[in-house]
Amino acid sequence: MGADNVSWVNEFILLGLSTDQQTQTGLFVLFGATYLLTLLGNGLIILLIWLDSRLHSPMYFFFSITSGVPQMLAHFLMEKKTISYTRCATQLFFSLALGGIEFLLLAAIAYNHDMAVCDPLQYVMVMHRGMYVSLAIVSWLIGLINSAVETAVTVTLPTCGRNVLNHVACEILALVRLACVDITINQIIILISSVIVLLVPCCLVSLSYAHIVAAILCIHSTQGRLKAFGTCTSHLTVVSMSYGIALFTYMQPRASASAEQDKIIVLFYSVVTPMLNPLIYSVRNKDMKAPLRKVIGRSSA
């Protein structure tokens, strides 16, 4: 390919989910309501952690810092769904960074559960404030560095003037598909990144829960087993959703992937999963229920 034909674009056009205006309005209402519920739910969890000293523990510290949808909502109401090159790169960077950080923090929470269930006598000594702050900082650093590398090698790909992005957002796989040059290096980097921030944390979580299950089975009291399992169910539910969706998206063979499939998966992960997190952590968690009832009681008094 000649040098004159290798070029970059100043903006991208997002095809979204539908070209029908009524359908797009309906999607805006649906996802807008879901996004508001997500903000309220996560905001409530952070408020409860801040108000109740019993929740000032390593696990809830990770929850409070785990908390592109507005841009996507705006596009549902726009006739021409364009996004500038700079905004697209920014959106890609933050989506990759926050996703990677979340996967790493989920592994840190699994380690916290492992220590709490399997070695409660050493738990307070090991999981002190310095330890969980360090785990959080390392998770953020790895997530940000990984995102910076992936974003840099993706947004510098020439598209030869092609700027129609068959997606609802600036997603890495959709951007790579636009490239008009060899993308082998990008595919290798995506694979390495998936191993570092996805597969390795997933394996660590699996090992932690295998250790936890083995320890729980050694507990003779039925009530003790149920209490130990109850400590982990909320986190395990979120882990299953988060890792399951991401592994299905980024670890499957490229030939079997489709743009429409990617759209649905990204929407579910970006909108639905964050909305379910507050419900899972509050409804199924006894530590959360008590301060929640207290807050509701104060507001109704």
Side-chain angles (χ1 to χ4, degrees), residues 110 201-212 239:
C202 185
C203 290
L204 293 175
V205 169
S206 300
L207 289 173
S208 293
Y209 276 104
H211 193 204
I212 289 171
V239 163

mmCIF file of all heavy atoms in Angstrom, residues 110 201-212 239:
data_model
loop_
_atom_site.group_PDB
_atom_site.id
_atom_site.type_symbol
_atom_site.label_atom_id
_atom_site.label_comp_id
_atom_site.label_asym_id
_atom_site.label_seq_id
_atom_site.Cartn_x
_atom_site.Cartn_y
_atom_site.Cartn_z
ATOM 1 N N ALA A 110 -10.903 -11.243 46.425
ATOM 2 C CA ALA A 110 -10.872 -12.696 46.602
ATOM 3 C C ALA A 110 -9.767 -13.086 47.593
ATOM 4 O O ALA A 110 -9.958 -13.975 48.438
ATOM 5 C CB ALA A 110 -10.649 -13.383 45.260
ATOM 6 N N PRO A 201 -5.689 -12.598 36.885
ATOM 7 C CA PRO A 201 -6.577 -12.358 38.033
ATOM 8 C C PRO A 201 -7.679 -13.405 38.168
ATOM 9 O O PRO A 201 -8.028 -13.810 39.272
ATOM 10 C CB PRO A 201 -7.167 -10.971 37.734
ATOM 11 C CG PRO A 201 -6.165 -10.314 36.869
ATOM 12 C CD PRO A 201 -5.594 -11.407 36.025
ATOM 13 N N CYS A 202 -8.218 -13.850 37.034
ATOM 14 C CA CYS A 202 -9.261 -14.873 37.065
ATOM 15 C C CYS A 202 -8.738 -16.178 37.672
ATOM 16 O O CYS A 202 -9.422 -16.823 38.482
ATOM 17 C CB CYS A 202 -9.795 -15.118 35.658
ATOM 18 S SG CYS A 202 -11.191 -16.269 35.586
ATOM 19 N N CYS A 203 -7.527 -16.562 37.310
ATOM 20 C CA CYS A 203 -6.908 -17.770 37.873
ATOM 21 C C CYS A 203 -6.657 -17.601 39.375
ATOM 22 O O CYS A 203 -6.871 -18.543 40.160
ATOM 23 C CB CYS A 203 -5.598 -18.080 37.156
ATOM 24 S SG CYS A 203 -5.805 -18.650 35.453
ATOM 25 N N LEU A 204 -6.206 -16.403 39.783
ATOM 26 C CA LEU A 204 -5.971 -16.144 41.202
ATOM 27 C C LEU A 204 -7.269 -16.217 41.999
ATOM 28 O O LEU A 204 -7.300 -16.748 43.117
ATOM 29 C CB LEU A 204 -5.312 -14.774 41.387
ATOM 30 C CG LEU A 204 -3.887 -14.628 40.849
ATOM 31 C CD1 LEU A 204 -3.397 -13.189 40.996
ATOM 32 C CD2 LEU A 204 -2.938 -15.579 41.577
ATOM 33 N N VAL A 205 -8.343 -15.667 41.419
ATOM 34 C CA VAL A 205 -9.658 -15.743 42.069
ATOM 35 C C VAL A 205 -10.093 -17.204 42.201
ATOM 36 O O VAL A 205 -10.600 -17.630 43.245
ATOM 37 C CB VAL A 205 -10.706 -14.940 41.273
ATOM 38 C CG1 VAL A 205 -12.116 -15.227 41.791
ATOM 39 C CG2 VAL A 205 -10.422 -13.450 41.364
ATOM 40 N N SER A 206 -9.903 -17.987 41.150
ATOM 41 C CA SER A 206 -10.278 -19.403 41.169
ATOM 42 C C SER A 206 -9.506 -20.165 42.244
ATOM 43 O O SER A 206 -10.087 -20.975 42.982
ATOM 44 C CB SER A 206 -10.028 -20.037 39.797
ATOM 45 O OG SER A 206 -10.781 -19.388 38.791
ATOM 46 N N LEU A 207 -8.200 -19.890 42.347
ATOM 47 C CA LEU A 207 -7.385 -20.547 43.368
ATOM 48 C C LEU A 207 -7.833 -20.135 44.769
ATOM 49 O O LEU A 207 -7.893 -20.980 45.681
ATOM 50 C CB LEU A 207 -5.909 -20.192 43.166
ATOM 51 C CG LEU A 207 -5.223 -20.817 41.947
ATOM 52 C CD1 LEU A 207 -3.819 -20.246 41.781
ATOM 53 C CD2 LEU A 207 -5.156 -22.339 42.090
ATOM 54 N N SER A 208 -8.148 -18.858 44.946
ATOM 55 C CA SER A 208 -8.601 -18.366 46.253
ATOM 56 C C SER A 208 -9.883 -19.070 46.677
ATOM 57 O O SER A 208 -10.026 -19.520 47.823
ATOM 58 C CB SER A 208 -8.818 -16.850 46.212
ATOM 59 O OG SER A 208 -7.604 -16.161 46.032
ATOM 60 N N TYR A 209 -10.831 -19.176 45.729
ATOM 61 C CA TYR A 209 -12.103 -19.803 46.082
ATOM 62 C C TYR A 209 -11.994 -21.313 46.224
ATOM 63 O O TYR A 209 -12.749 -21.927 46.991
ATOM 64 C CB TYR A 209 -13.184 -19.408 45.079
ATOM 65 C CG TYR A 209 -13.799 -18.082 45.430
ATOM 66 C CD1 TYR A 209 -13.484 -16.928 44.727
ATOM 67 C CD2 TYR A 209 -14.666 -17.973 46.512
ATOM 68 C CE1 TYR A 209 -14.017 -15.704 45.081
ATOM 69 C CE2 TYR A 209 -15.203 -16.758 46.876
ATOM 70 C CZ TYR A 209 -14.883 -15.621 46.156
ATOM 71 O OH TYR A 209 -15.416 -14.420 46.524
ATOM 72 N N ALA A 210 -11.066 -21.938 45.522
ATOM 73 C CA ALA A 210 -10.818 -23.365 45.732
ATOM 74 C C ALA A 210 -10.294 -23.587 47.154
ATOM 75 O O ALA A 210 -10.695 -24.539 47.850
ATOM 76 C CB ALA A 210 -9.817 -23.877 44.704
ATOM 77 N N HIS A 211 -9.407 -22.693 47.592
ATOM 78 C CA HIS A 211 -8.872 -22.751 48.955
ATOM 79 C C HIS A 211 -9.975 -22.505 49.981
ATOM 80 O O HIS A 211 -10.054 -23.190 51.013
ATOM 81 C CB HIS A 211 -7.759 -21.703 49.100
ATOM 82 C CG HIS A 211 -6.932 -21.877 50.331
ATOM 83 N ND1 HIS A 211 -6.232 -20.837 50.910
ATOM 84 C CD2 HIS A 211 -6.701 -22.969 51.108
ATOM 85 C CE1 HIS A 211 -5.600 -21.275 51.986
ATOM 86 N NE2 HIS A 211 -5.863 -22.570 52.127
ATOM 87 N N ILE A 212 -10.844 -21.534 49.664
ATOM 88 C CA ILE A 212 -11.955 -21.205 50.575
ATOM 89 C C ILE A 212 -12.922 -22.377 50.702
ATOM 90 O O ILE A 212 -13.343 -22.746 51.809
ATOM 91 C CB ILE A 212 -12.694 -19.946 50.074
ATOM 92 C CG1 ILE A 212 -11.817 -18.701 50.265
ATOM 93 C CG2 ILE A 212 -14.019 -19.769 50.814
ATOM 94 C CD1 ILE A 212 -12.357 -17.454 49.603
ATOM 95 N N VAL A 239 -18.007 -11.606 40.313
ATOM 96 C CA VAL A 239 -16.852 -12.160 39.611
ATOM 97 C C VAL A 239 -17.290 -12.986 38.408
ATOM 98 O O VAL A 239 -16.729 -12.871 37.303
ATOM 99 C CB VAL A 239 -16.010 -13.033 40.578
ATOM 100 C CG1 VAL A 239 -15.058 -13.931 39.800
ATOM 101 C CG2 VAL A 239 -15.213 -12.149 41.518
#
